[in-house]
Amino acid sequence: MNAPIIDPLQGDFPEVIEEYLEHGVMKCIAFNRRGTLLAAGCADGSCIIWDFETRGIAKELHDKDCVAAITSVCWSKDGHCILVSAADKSLTLWDVVSGEKITRTTLQQTPLQARLHPGSAKSLCLACPLSSAPMIVDLNTGSTTVLPVSVSDTGAGLPPPSRNKFSDGSPPFTPTAACFNKYGDLVYVGNSKGEILIVDHKNKQVRAVVPISGGSVIKNIVFSRNGQYLLTNSNDRTIRIYENLLPLKDGLKVLDELSTSCDEVDEAEKLKAVGSKCLALFREFQDSITKIHWKVPCFSGDGEWVVGGSASKGEHKIYIWDRAGHLVKILEGPKEALIDLAWHPVHPIVVSVSLTGLVYIWAKDYTENWSAFAPDFKELEENEEYIEREDEFDLMPETEKVKDTDVNEDDEVDIMTVENESVFSDSDMSQEELCFLPAVPCPDVPEQQDKCVGSTSKLTDSNHSGSPLSEEAGQNGQAMNHASSPVEGNIILF
Amino acid sequence: MASDPSSEPINPYKLKQTLAAHKRAVSAVKFSSDGLLLGSSSADKTLRTWSTSGDFSTLQEFHGHDQGISDLAFSSDSRHVCSASDDKTVRLWDVETGSLIKTLQGHTNYVFCVNFNPQSNMIVSGSFDETVRVWDVKTGKCLKVLPAHSDPVTAANFNRDGSLIVSSSYDGLCRIWDASTGHCMKTLIDDENPPVSFVKFSPNGKFILVGTLDNTLRLWNFSTGKFLKTYTGHVNSKYCISSTFSVTNGKYIVGGSEDNCVYLWELQTRKVVQKLEGHTDTVISVSCHPSQNMIASGALGSDKTVKIWTQERD
């Protein structure tokens, strides 16, 4: 809605650290669908939900059963639930509004990543464990379905031999990356042979194979939000972008058609032939000078930008490319290794997590648009020669000056119709989306009222540090000691 | 007041109830978004809430401000109400118990106008200190100070998704701000710049209704910077009279006036379709019920009452 008046001259990617959020040691982050809430999983097993607009804490999800570090956080599409995977091999599904646990399952191994199925059911999720094949977990029953990770697999779940070996000689496993496509009917698995497998997770069948040249282990695989592009990050330090040639819905049907129309007799070749019609290599990104191992690559919300993090030598760097492959920006943060990264679904904002547990918010370095303050002024990119009119300085009689009356006041004005935002037009949800958590104001403490009077000099302009609750003594529900607290002497009541 | 041939004559609003409880001038009246409550603020330093069903009994009185109150606003869930006062503070109250929850300090002069955003996690306030401040409801911290104007700020409002703030001032300007960054997006000014006494967004957020102290109300399209409709016939040259959209039964603009009447204009034809008489002083504030055909109006010192007007059933 405010699109027509926002200045299009500025590039749409972040440039500087605007603010940082501090609360315990955060390990992984995820935005909800609209970017109004940011969920952060902590090292102590709790999950913090930040209100991204006020940069304050909206909710804390604690579970006394789970005190192991959180390995990944994932929102449901309607924003009502969060799936959390932890180092104690558990998966927990939380209800955001009530702050209550819905269900908890324990797996055989620690899931490094857990993603909820994009549908509305919220019972299925894809878990990528530390050292075995990815699996579909039914959160209600706890049953797991292991997905095949190579063509020779019949679903038994044995991963192919890889280069790494454990010291005790046991068969080595490597984490395999996987993700759902946009509507969740297919799972795209990236295995350690450098192949992308398109798997029908209901029937546990590999339907297509796309080999990556070089065949090095695939570490991350992720779709853009609109489902049109797929990104893979491989051990050969290259990020590859593929165009998704399958339709967003009914992908299985098209795969069936491609399969039957394919002439190949050999099963493996057939899968590769089908695969070549599902994904087309679009671009490759690498840093040819320093050959960085990329961490957490992902797309921007609109799919126009690709971002990859680098933590080599303990640095905190974020590389931003446009989809055509040009490196547009390198963001350098403080000397704390980067461990997680997320691009805001709507705004040109990137959020990164450092090893110390702080969450940094990167935004555009907005220079004030001074012409917005005076409507007659217009901003120019460069000097323009001004050509005077012939009659510019003629004295005109008053009657000549006609006021701009091209406004027909009888035209109908529509004050009620609201246009749907095109960014979120793919909503097919039955339940209404949760966009924000109701803010419950923390009551002022009566004896603090007097103290507050003298403290109003603290003006804002959010370049100052951290969250309002960073002064909290400890995060395990301890009430603050009033005597030692600075300006905002609030009791935090949960 | 001949009725336009293309529209039906309006079912006239009639006075239903007069609520006389304030001891000094009423400064603002607002319905809550669920329609169950009516709130009023007054120069007598109190807020009051009334039930909108039945006989409009008083629900709560809110005491705590040290000086008169200029404006009030309900949160979207109607659990909290905030007020702007001459004691330079904005206060946040619990609607049900009437107790004071928070005092937002920061303004350096009278706070004149206040509003919640639709998510009700932020409050915007405008003050005589020429700034607009955005506050975090949960902690009471001031999130942003916008260097909005060069004269007292008379109104500050969010649009329907909370992404924009519009502010108006005696300096004759209306400014639109990006709520998340605090940067100015646009300034609207006419050829002559009479002091702007009031501004608010239309229900769909595309237009703004602007009241100026030259007896005029205008509907602007702020993207193009041009006004589309002008409404006249009332008197408004001294006070910051609020006006609003009535959309429950046809589209109208409702506004107060210094000739003690409430004016109703048809939105499209701009004709005055009704004048509600009954107050004995300037009608300073009007509010429309979100779902019923009900208008509330509040008047200044010689009157001190809140009047409720409804349409008779057909």
Side-chain angles (χ1 to χ4, degrees), chain A residues 98-115:
Chain A
S98 64
E100 300 287 321
K101 210 168 41 172
I102 299 179
T103 173
R104 190 159 188 263
T105 333
T106 310
L107 302 176
Q108 302 244 320
Q109 280 155 347
T110 300
L112 281 183
Q113 204 197 62
R115 291 278 170 269

Side-chain angles (χ1 to χ4, degrees), chain B residues 242-254:
Chain B
S242 65
S243 42
T244 186
F245 297 90
S246 167
V247 297
T248 46
N249 185 13
K251 311 252 184 313
Y252 302 96
I253 302 281
V254 182

